[in-house]
Amino acid sequence: MIDLRSDTLTKPTDEMRAAMARAEVGDDVYGEDPTVQRLEERVAGLFGHEAALFMPTGSMANVLAVASLVQPGQEVLCEASAHIARAELGAHGAFTGLTMRTWIHPRGQVDLPTIRSMFAPDMGPFFVRTAAIAVENTHNFAGGAVLPLQDLRDLREFATGVGAGIHLDGARIWNAHVATATPLAEYGAVADVLAVCLSKGLGAPVGSLMVGSSDAIAEARIRRKRMGGGMRQVGILAAAGLHALDHHVERLADDHDDARLLAEACGVDPATVETNIVVVPRHDAADFVASAREAGVLVSAVGPTAVRLVTHLDVTREDAEKAASVLASI
Ligand SMILES: *Cc1c(COP(=O)(O)O)cnc(C)c1O
């Protein structure tokens, strides 16, 4: 089977497993895991921030990052199909007690005029106050779309002017970095806090980080423990992340090439595919998924009228070519 359902399906390589086996570890709740510390320092440095915190999932990193900006009873603005709004099962409302309002953009982009009009300043006991704006780069449900750096800079300028924070959900920020050659620190510079995943295209089995100021991370460390996310000899997992940063970032360009090949085979303009996700409009999505499965290719339906293909570390060029011919025939 060629599995194009998600880039979370990658399995650790033999080299990654060897790095995990060799990892020097300690109790991270005691602050004594040197491998976790190396990973946190390295990722903070990549984004030009003071500190970072290792988390079991990107969802937890998003929840704690947004909670560092938004108090209970305040709101965060985000795009309507953002992962934080659609795919985290209401965690931000359930745990943080915040509300969300959304703008709609078919490619998940920053719509500054709309954000400006939605923004609610502190009006005392009359209206919910907008404390933060969240963006997602690349945007998962918008087909791996990249948010242009200039749009993010304009948003930063607006947010700073009105005293709102910015959260960047960078589960796939690595893909945006490779696709556009934008330094990670440039993305870091537009956000107060970020969440980044090692467990997507980078191929680590587990692991995400929140990135931000020392104060925000110190507070998040307490919240993480409160949520049951204090982990012990977790350098075993951090070592997989360090290995991924060393060996699996630049190769994302291959995933992007493979995605364009698959797009073309499915009648999608490859110029619209910026990274490793292809959304194929199909009125018969469920049938398409079933036919592909019969022919040895796993893809997923996202709703009744769209199919999603995701390329990743465990899909070779040969697999992509084979999948392209199978999907073209369907
Ligand atoms: C995968 C993903 C996350 C985090 O997912 P977890 O499964 O909780 O690690 C967050 N944001 C986006 C955009 C994602 O694609």
Side-chain angles (χ1 to χ4, degrees):
M1 283 292 192
I2 299 169
D3 202 337
L4 302 173
R5 289 171 302 164
S6 172
D7 50 8
T8 56
L9 294 154
T10 55
K11 301 199 174 128
T13 62
D14 290 344
E15 294 76 16
M16 183 179 278
R17 286 169 190 262
M20 294 169 77
R22 281 195 305 272
E24 210 188 319
V25 298
D27 188 325
D28 186 53
V29 176
Y30 282 66
E32 292 177 7
D33 191 302
T35 309
V36 170
Q37 284 167 7
R38 267 206 295 143
L39 177 66
E40 290 175 344
E41 279 164 26
R42 178 158 170 197
V43 171
L46 287 173
F47 290 94
H49 279 255
E50 288 172 348
L53 186 63
F54 191 57
M55 307 261 186
T57 65
S59 296
M60 189 188 279
N62 274 335
V63 168
L64 297 190
V66 173
S68 76
L69 301 174
V70 186
Q71 301 292 315
Q74 298 181 339
E75 71 177 3
V76 59
L77 305 181
C78 64
E79 200 280 322
S81 60
H83 197 278
I84 65 165
R86 297 290 315 285
E88 294 173 9
L89 309 186
H92 300 260
F95 298 131
T96 308
L98 55 72
T99 58
M100 288 180 179
R101 279 189 300 145
T102 58
W103 71 90
I104 295 178
H105 191 291
R107 302 228 6 116
Q109 299 292 307
V110 173
D111 176 354
L112 192 50
T114 302
I115 294 167
R116 252 180 223 289
S117 71
M118 291 171 74
F119 175 79
D122 187 355
M123 300 275 281
F126 293 100
F127 291 105
V128 175
R129 174 185 174 186
T130 307
I133 301 154
V135 291
E136 186 174 311
N137 193 17
T138 64
H139 196 296
N140 183 346
F141 299 127
V146 172
L147 272 48
L149 184 61
Q150 191 55 49
D151 289 358
L152 295 170
R153 287 181 171 157
D154 293 345
L155 180 68
R156 172 77 272 172
E157 195 183 332
F158 167 71
T160 302
V162 295
I166 293 184
H167 169 59
L168 172 52
D169 178 355
R172 295 186 182 78
I173 195 71
W174 324 102
N175 296 82
H177 159 65
V178 167
T180 63
T182 302
L184 293 168
E186 300 287 338
Y187 289 129
V190 299
D192 297 287
V193 284
L194 301 88
V196 302
C197 292
L198 304 167
S199 55
K200 303 284 167 79
L202 295 195
V206 178
S208 293
L209 294 102
M210 171 184 161
V211 181
S213 69
S214 303
D215 286 350
I217 293 300
E219 185 190 33
R221 199 176 285 282
I222 293 166
R223 290 204 170 104
R224 182 186 66 173
K225 184 67 163 59
R226 184 177 293 136
M227 292 178 84
M231 302 178 287
R232 303 296 178 173
Q233 286 71 24
V234 75
I236 297 263
L237 298 177
L242 286 164
H243 180 86
L245 290 174
D246 285 336
H247 301 287
H248 296 167
V249 176
E250 297 311 320
R251 65 151 303 287
L252 292 172
D254 299 339
D255 296 345
H256 301 170
D257 287 344
D258 291 345
R260 282 187 282 268
L261 178 77
L262 290 165
E264 201 152 26
C266 296
V268 171
D269 179 0
T272 63
V273 175
E274 295 175 274
T275 59
N276 69 323
I277 302 176
V278 183
V279 176
V280 186
R282 291 287 299 208
H283 57 86
D284 59 344
D287 291 345
F288 185 96
V289 170
S291 306
R293 176 182 281 269
E294 235 152 74
V297 180
L298 299 177
V299 300
S300 43
V302 283
T305 59
V307 169
R308 190 181 77 157
L309 324 172
V310 187
T311 55
H312 53 77
L313 184 61
D314 291 358
V315 176
T316 63
R317 183 68 180 180
E318 202 185 351
D319 291 336
E321 283 167 356
K322 206 168 133 204
S325 83
V326 164
L327 298 178
S329 74
I330 302 173

